[in-house]
Amino acid sequence: MSDRETRHKASMQKLKERVDEKVASATEQRGLIIVNTGNGKGKTTAAWGTVTRALGYGYKVGVVQFIKGLWECGERNRLEDDPNLDVAIMATGFTWETQNREADTQACREVWAEAARMLADPDVYLVVLDEITYMLKFGYLDIDTVKQALENRPPEQTVIITGRNAHRDLVAMADTVTEMQEVRHAFASGIQARRGIDF
Ligand code: ATP
Ligand code: MG
């Protein structure tokens, strides 16, 4: 064996030991709070990826979409016939288009009621609160209400929160937080959002 191969083998052995150690020390089993935030693309895509993953094992999944302007999406078209998937969508138009605070607050309350129902149901294995960060930012929804529902949810239930500028309390209570960092986005070069790729 060459020197290089010997060194590689030794370093792989060390890596394996470190990974094995970490795997052995992860003994707790419970549902998670996952936050996908940041300005880069991929927050909602990653959430739907996890929805597909959970449905693939026959788990019940709830998705709550807090901004209707982003309603058209291929994932939903593909998965909506799955009897284990329950999707709730906010009833008004895109928040930045309607600029009707009262109507938006009411619509937000209504769709939050659906979210609260899912967050209280032990049969629901995964709940996605898509773009909920904006509801908190605009003051349509109260952070304490959301925190309480998350804290009291069934222990086996996982919740994914998506949207930019996640409230610091949500970041603090989450088990897994990913900040999507924008390096570049095609839209900035004048390229339109693509069907089946961006939505
Ligand atoms: P995606 O749904 O593609 O995973 P996202 O959830 O991370 O994106 P949003 O802010 O919710 O980000 O994006 C809404 C729409 O804007 C999507 O069509 C998305 O592809 C697009 N988008 C995402 N990030 C950016 C960005 N940095 N600049 C411009 N458009 C973006
Ligand atoms: Mg999104």
Side-chain angles (χ1 to χ4, degrees), residues 39-45 70 131 134 164 182 185 187 193 198:
N39 293 339
K41 174 179 165 61
K43 300 175 285 294
T44 299
T45 311
L70 308 176
E131 321 296 350
Y134 305 103
R164 297 178 186 204
E182 182 185 330
H185 196 286
F187 188 68
D198 289 302

Side-chain angles (χ1 to χ4, degrees), residues 23-117:
V23 170
S25 66
T27 52
E28 201 183 341
Q29 288 204 41
R30 62 170 174 82
L32 307 166
I33 297 177
I34 298 173
V35 171
N36 294 347
T37 192
N39 293 339
K41 174 179 165 61
K43 300 175 285 294
T44 299
T45 311
W48 276 106
T50 313
V51 167
T52 311
R53 195 173 267 179
L55 289 173
Y57 288 102
Y59 291 119
K60 280 192 186 302
V61 178
V63 176
V64 185
Q65 295 184 314
F66 281 88
I67 292 185
K68 202 199 170 188
L70 308 176
W71 174 77
E72 161 82 317
C73 73
E75 308 90 302
R76 186 171 167 275
N77 294 347
R78 180 65 179 80
L79 299 172
E80 67 186 350
D81 292 337
D82 191 314
N84 285 325
L85 177 66
D86 182 4
V87 183
I89 305 160
M90 193 157 138
T92 57
F94 196 42
T95 315
W96 296 297
E97 282 166 17
T98 57
Q99 297 172 357
N100 183 340
R101 211 183 144 74
E102 212 171 294
D104 284 349
T105 306
Q106 181 55 29
C108 178
R109 292 225 171 103
E110 279 166 23
V111 81
W112 169 254
E114 298 285 312
R117 177 180 55 75

